[in-house]
Amino acid sequence: MTGRFAAVAAGMVMAVSSMCQAQDAATAKLDVELNALAPSQKGCMMTFVAENSLQTPINKISFELAFFNDKNAVDRITVLDFRDLPQGKKRVRQFDMPNVKCETVTRIIINDTPVCDGPAAGECMKGLVTRSQISVPFEG
């Protein structure tokens, strides 16, 4: 009887462990928020808030962004270096975009993460969740 009980108990422990790992993987995400656009002397200051909830810290990450203008055409594509994103921490990153008028930016899309050092290949884009705190849509 105790042998059967031990086998059942071991099976239950393994099932719970598998469920916890699956839940951790499901909640593993990389949140990037477009927080503000503000006119600057150079052009447009863009403020982002990022939080790494992936399984590992990110040593270095960059995002390739496409900026759409008021004619809904891609105005420019650029790569922004978000540097490191420690696990479980929020980071604010600002970028002064020269020759961009904030009022003409109608949408921003993250095309790719050309650099994502730390997580397994593809995890940064797979876990990407975007949102915008302003009227300009921000998509990933």
Side-chain angles (χ1 to χ4, degrees):
M1 181 81 160
T2 54
R4 237 197 278 172
F5 176 76
V8 169
M12 289 176 65
V13 168
M14 288 174 53
V16 169
S17 175
S18 294
M19 286 173 50
C20 289
Q21 288 174 352
Q23 186 177 12
D24 287 347
T27 59
K29 59 185 176 175
L30 177 56
D31 282 309
V32 183
E33 170 190 285
L34 175 61
N35 187 267
L37 298 179
S40 69
Q41 289 183 345
K42 292 181 181 179
C44 184
M45 178 66 71
M46 299 185 173
T47 303
F48 297 89
V49 178
E51 183 173 8
N52 174 14
S53 297
L54 298 175
Q55 302 287 333
T56 58
I58 298 173
N59 303 318
K60 184 173 176 63
I61 188 166
S62 63
F63 294 104
E64 181 186 76
L65 300 175
F67 297 91
F68 290 76
N69 63 24
D70 52 359
K71 295 177 179 69
N72 203 29
V74 175
D75 184 60
R76 72 177 61 204
I77 295 176
T78 190
V79 176
L80 301 179
D81 180 5
F82 273 60
R83 303 186 317 260
D84 66 318
L85 294 176
Q87 188 179 21
K89 303 267 186 187
K90 285 187 181 180
R91 291 290 184 254
V92 176
R93 301 290 189 239
Q94 288 188 312
F95 303 93
D96 203 352
M97 301 298 293
N99 304 316
V100 173
K101 293 182 180 177
C102 294
E103 62 274 10
T104 65
V105 176
T106 59
R107 180 169 47 143
I108 301 173
I109 293 177
I110 295 180
N111 277 337
D112 196 12
T113 53
V115 175
C116 180
D117 178 24
E123 288 300 307
C124 287
M125 277 305 286
K126 181 180 170 186
L128 185 64
V129 176
T130 57
R131 71 177 168 279
S132 180
Q133 288 288 9
I134 60 175
S135 62
V136 175
F138 183 49
E139 305 164 33

